[in-house]
C-alpha cells in the first residue's frame, strides 16, 4: 500500500466506558505524518475531566464481578481473542502505526505481530498465576496469593506506541486490573484502535480505556487521580522524575522504563559482520529512536579499522524514504526531534569527534519535506563527551576504542544509564564474565536485541525501576497477599 493509497479517518475519538467519545472541552489535537510534515488526523485533547471519566469507569468496571473476579481461563480467552483481532487487523494497524510514527511499514507490521504476541502470551498465563504454601507449625499454615491493584494508569511514548501499550496492558489485564491508557500525543492512533478491538474481544466496557491528550494535561491528571493504584510510565528521564515524585506523594507504586545509552563491546575474535549488522539495525530500526539501542560501539583497538570499514559498507546500502514505501530508514518523529538530533551532531563536531559517515539532514527531493537524518557514525570519541553520555534518540552511533577488558567495562558502565548492553566475542567464558559485571537490565551476547515477550526488560540506574515482559511483569502488576490460617 502506498502513501497515496492510505486513507486515515479525519478524527479518532477516545474510548471511555465502552464508547467512542470526544474531549469534554470539545478541543482537538492534530497528528502529523513525519515523512511529509503534513497533518494526518485529529484526536481529542483530553484533560482532567476526561481522565476522571475514564478512571472512574475503570474503577467501577474493576469492582464489578465481570473482570477481576471472572474465572482466570475466561480472562485468558478474551485476551487471546484480542490477540487474534490484532493479527486480523494487521494491515490497518500497521498503516496507522507507520503514518503516525514514520517507521517503515514492515517494522509497523512487526510491531503489530509483537503486540498480538503479548496478548497471546499472557492469555496463556491467566490460569497459571500461582501463590505458595508456607508451612509454619502443626497448628498453622500460610498461603500467598497475587492480587490486582485495581486501576493501572499506563503512559506510553511515541516510538513504539502499539507495542508498548500491549506490553503493559496485557500483563496488567491478566492479573485482573483495569487499565487506562494514555498514548503519546504524537502517535495516538493505534492505541485508540486497540481500545476498540478490546471491546470486540469481549473485555467489559471500562476495563481498557484510552484517553488521548497532552502529557502535562491528561498524563498528569492520570498520575494524580486517587483511583489509580499503580502507574506504568515509559519515556524520558526528565518526565519520569516528575511521575515518580507525584507517585511518591500519593504512595503509589510506579514502574519506570526510561532512557538508555547502551554499549556493544566488540573483541577482535568476534564475528565482525554480525557486529556491522547489529549497528545497521540499531540505526535503522525506528530511525534509532529506541531506548535500548546500542548507540555506543566499544571496540578493541585491534578490530577498530575492520569494524569501521564494515559499518560504513553496511550503511552505504541503506534505503531512505516515507514509511509506506518500506525503506530501511524512515524519518524521525517530529521537527523537535530532528532539531535535537542535528544539535547533537553539531555538538559532536565541537567536541572534536570525527564523522565516519552521515552527519546531516537529507535534503534531496521529497525527503526535504520530512524529518530525515543520515545514519551517522562518530569516531575519535572519548567517554567524557556529551555524545557518549547523553541519549540522542536518533540514528547516531559513537565509536569508543579500548585495550583491556577492564577499560571496556569502565566505558560501558560509565554513564548514568543501564538499560541494555552487548558483548561480541567467540570466548563465551569472557562474555559471561563481562555480563555479570555489566550494569544493565539486559545483556546480549553475539546478537543484540535477541529475545522476545518472554524476556524481562527494564533498567539499572537512571534507566528506570521494575520489569516489563515475561513472568516478571506478573509480579510488576500484582500485589502479594499473605493469609495465615489456624488449623
Amino acid at each position: 500500500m502506498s502513501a497515496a493509497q492510505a486513507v486515515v479517518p479525519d478524527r479518532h475519538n477516545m474510548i471511555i466506558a465502552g464508547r467512542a467519545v470526544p474531549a469534554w472541552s470539545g478541543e482537538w489535537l492534530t497528528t502529523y505524518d513525519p515523512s511529509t510534515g503534513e497533518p494526518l488526523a485529529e484526536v481529542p485533547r483530553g484533560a482532567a475531566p476526561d481522565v476522571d471519566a475514564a478512571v472512574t469507569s475503570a474503577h467501577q468496571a474493576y469492582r464489578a464481578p465481570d473482570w477481576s473476579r471472572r474465572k482466570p481461563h475466561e480472562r485468558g480467552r478474551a485476551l487471546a481473542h484480542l490477540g487474534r483481532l490484532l493479527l486480523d487487523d494487521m494491515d490497518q494497524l500497521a498503516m496507522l502505526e507507520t503514518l503516525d510514527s514514520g517507521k517503515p511499514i514492515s517494522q509497523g507490521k512487526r510491531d503489530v505481530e509483537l503486540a498480538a504476541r503479548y496478548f497471546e502470551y499472557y492469555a496463556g498465563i491467566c490460569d497459571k498465576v500461582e501463590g505458595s504454601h508456607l508451612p509454619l507449625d502443626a497448628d498453622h499454615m500460610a498461603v500467598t496469593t497475587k492480587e490486582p491493584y485495581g486501576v493501572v494508569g499506563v503512559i506510553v511514548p511515541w516510538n513504539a506506541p502499539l507495542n508498548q501499550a500491549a506490553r503493559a496492558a496485557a500483563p496488567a489485564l491478566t492479573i485482573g486490573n483495569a487499565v487506562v491508557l494514555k498514548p503519546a500525543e504524537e502517535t495516538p492512533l493505534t492505541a485508540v484502535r486497540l481500545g476498540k478491538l478490546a471491546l470486540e474481544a469481549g473485555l467489559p466496557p471500562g476495563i481498557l480505556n484510552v484517553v488521548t491528550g497532552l502529557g502535562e494535561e491528561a498524563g498528569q491528571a492520570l498520575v494524580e487521580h486517587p483511583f489509580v493504584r499503580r502507574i506504568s510510565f515509559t519515556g524520558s528521564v526528565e518526565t519520569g522524575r516528575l511521575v515518580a515524585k507525584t507517585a511518591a506523594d500519593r504512595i503509589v507504586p510506579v514502574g519506570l522504563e526510561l532512557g538508555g545509552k547502551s554499549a556493544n563491546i566488540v573483541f577482535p575474535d568476534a564475528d565482525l559482520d554480525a557486529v556491522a549488522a547489529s549497528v545497521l539495525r540499531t540505526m535503522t530500526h525506528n530511525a534509532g529512536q529506541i531506548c535500548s539501542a546500542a548507540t555506543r560501539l566499544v571496540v578493541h583497538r585491534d578490530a577498530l579499522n575492520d569494524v569501521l570499514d564494515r559499518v560504513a559498507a553496511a550503511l552505504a546500502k541503506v534505503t531512505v524514504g516515507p514509511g509506506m514505501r518500506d525503506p530501511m530508514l524512515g524519518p524521525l518523529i517530529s521537527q523537535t526531534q530532528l532539531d535535537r538530533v542535528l544539535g547533537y551532531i553539531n555538538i559532536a563536531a565541537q567536541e572534536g569527534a570525527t564523522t565516519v559517515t552521515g552527519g546531516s539532514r537529507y535534503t534531496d527531493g521529497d525527503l526535504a519535506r520530512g524529518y530525515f537524518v543520515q545514519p551517522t557514525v562518530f569516531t575519535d570519541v572519548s567517554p567524557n563527551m556529551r555524545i557518549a553520555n547523553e541519549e540522542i534518540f536518533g540514528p547516531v552511533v559513537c565509536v569508543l576504542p579500548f585495550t583491556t577488558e577492564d577499560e571496556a567495562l569502565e566505558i560501558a558502565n560509565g554513564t548514568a544509564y543501564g538499560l541494555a548492553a552487548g558483548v561480541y566475542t567467540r570466548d563465551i567464558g569472557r562474555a559471561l564474565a563481562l555480563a555479570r559485571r555489566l550494569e544493565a537490565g539486559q545483556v546480549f551476547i553475539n546478537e543484540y536485541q535477541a529475545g522476545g515477550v518472554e524476556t524481562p526488560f527494564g533498567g539499572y540506574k537512571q534507566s528506570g525501576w521494575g520489569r516489563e515482559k515475561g513472568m516478571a511483569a506478573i509480579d510488576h502488576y500484582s500485589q502479594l497477599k499473605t493469609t495465615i490460617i489456624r488449623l
Side-chain angles (χ1 to χ4, degrees):
M1 183 186 296
S2 69
Q5 294 171 316
V7 177
V8 178
D10 291 336
R11 286 184 167 178
H12 300 247
N13 281 312
M14 300 181 287
I15 305 298
I16 297 177
R19 296 185 300 118
V21 296
W24 178 83
S25 67
E27 295 184 60
W28 297 84
L29 295 171
T30 302
T31 70
Y32 295 87
D33 182 344
S35 297
T36 64
E38 296 176 355
L40 178 64
E42 290 185 320
V43 295
R45 182 173 176 170
D50 308 287
V51 169
D52 181 60
V55 174
T56 300
S57 164
H59 180 67
Q60 292 170 347
Y62 165 74
R63 291 171 66 90
D66 194 33
W67 188 250
S68 62
R69 284 179 277 173
R70 183 184 290 192
K71 291 180 180 180
H73 71 272
E74 293 175 348
R75 283 203 303 272
R77 286 172 181 162
L79 296 182
H81 189 188
L82 179 52
R84 290 193 299 273
L85 291 177
L86 287 169
L87 293 176
D88 291 344
D89 202 36
M90 167 78 74
D91 290 342
Q92 179 71 10
L93 282 165
M95 179 196 73
L96 292 175
E97 193 84 336
T98 292
L99 292 175
D100 223 10
S101 69
K103 66 183 60 178
I105 187 68
S106 58
Q107 293 181 22
K109 289 182 176 180
R110 285 197 295 273
D111 279 4
V112 177
E113 290 176 355
L114 185 56
R117 180 74 183 108
Y118 280 115
F119 288 105
E120 293 168 347
Y121 176 80
Y122 287 106
I125 289 174
C126 281
D127 58 356
K128 302 172 186 67
V129 177
E130 299 178 346
S132 60
H133 163 228
L134 309 173
L136 298 177
D137 53 43
D139 298 322
H140 299 84
M141 64 176 288
V143 295
T144 63
T145 52
K146 294 176 181 177
E147 299 188 351
Y149 282 95
V151 180
V152 175
V154 174
I155 302 174
V156 297
W158 43 257
N159 59 331
L162 180 62
N163 171 359
Q164 294 182 82
R167 187 181 74 183
L173 293 167
T174 292
I175 206 71
N177 296 290
V179 171
V180 177
L181 171 64
K182 193 283 180 188
E185 52 264 33
E186 296 90 346
T187 54
L189 302 185
T190 49
V192 171
R193 192 153 184 89
L194 175 64
K196 294 177 180 178
L197 293 175
L199 295 168
E200 291 183 30
L203 274 67
I207 285 297
L208 177 56
N209 291 326
V210 181
V211 179
T212 57
L214 301 175
E216 59 269 26
E217 296 174 354
Q220 183 173 343
L222 183 60
V223 175
E224 293 176 347
H225 200 286
F227 284 163
V228 173
R229 297 310 308 157
R230 184 171 182 91
I231 299 158
S232 172
F233 173 82
T234 303
S236 69
V237 172
E238 294 76 13
T239 306
R241 285 195 183 99
L242 298 176
V243 170
K245 288 176 181 177
T246 302
D249 288 340
R250 295 187 50 229
I251 318 298
V252 170
V254 57
L256 298 175
E257 200 266 277
L258 307 176
K261 195 69 179 177
S262 300
N264 250 341
I265 301 175
V266 180
F267 288 90
D269 66 339
D271 180 344
L272 300 187
D273 289 331
V275 172
S278 172
V279 175
L280 180 66
R281 287 193 302 273
T282 286
M283 303 180 83
T284 58
H285 184 68
N286 209 14
Q289 299 168 123
I290 301 292
C291 54
S292 59
T295 54
R296 291 183 299 149
L297 194 60
V298 183
V299 185
H300 194 282
R301 293 181 188 277
D302 290 347
L304 185 59
N305 290 335
D306 283 346
V307 168
L308 291 176
D309 288 345
R310 284 171 167 81
V311 167
L315 293 177
K317 300 175 183 177
V318 169
T319 57
V320 187
M324 294 303 294
R325 297 179 190 167
D326 202 27
M328 296 171 69
L329 178 69
L332 299 173
I333 186 66
S334 65
Q335 182 68 49
T336 298
Q337 193 62 21
L338 175 67
D339 292 342
R340 175 185 175 88
V341 173
L342 293 177
Y344 273 105
I345 289 173
N346 289 333
I347 288 170
Q350 295 166 10
E351 291 182 321
T354 300
T355 304
V356 176
T357 185
S360 62
R361 179 180 184 177
Y362 285 102
T363 57
D364 295 335
D366 290 344
L367 297 183
R369 301 166 59 205
Y371 311 124
F372 295 92
V373 172
Q374 296 173 347
T376 302
V377 177
F378 289 111
T379 189
D380 297 322
V381 178
S382 62
N384 62 335
M385 289 182 177
R386 287 183 63 188
I387 59 167
N389 285 276
E390 299 175 16
E391 187 175 41
I392 299 172
F393 226 57
V396 180
V397 165
C398 303
V399 180
L400 299 101
F402 74 90
T403 303
T404 68
E405 288 185 21
D406 285 343
E407 184 184 6
L409 193 70
E410 183 178 358
I411 293 170
N413 289 340
T415 74
Y417 297 106
L419 193 54
V423 181
Y424 279 80
T425 177
R426 289 183 168 86
D427 185 339
I428 193 63
R430 167 197 279 164
L432 291 173
L434 279 171
R436 288 177 181 157
R437 300 171 66 192
L438 284 164
E439 297 169 352
Q442 280 193 330
V443 178
F444 304 99
I445 296 176
N446 292 329
E447 183 183 353
Y448 200 84
Q449 289 181 326
V453 303
E454 306 88 350
T455 50
F457 180 72
Y460 285 23
K461 301 187 287 187
Q462 290 189 22
S463 287
W465 304 329
R467 293 294 180 268
E468 303 280 359
K469 303 172 60 174
M471 287 299 295
I474 297 298
D475 294 332
H476 193 61
Y477 290 104
S478 64
Q479 46 193 345
L480 192 68
K481 176 179 284 184
T482 303
T483 303
I484 304 168
I485 308 155
R486 180 177 178 83
L487 302 176

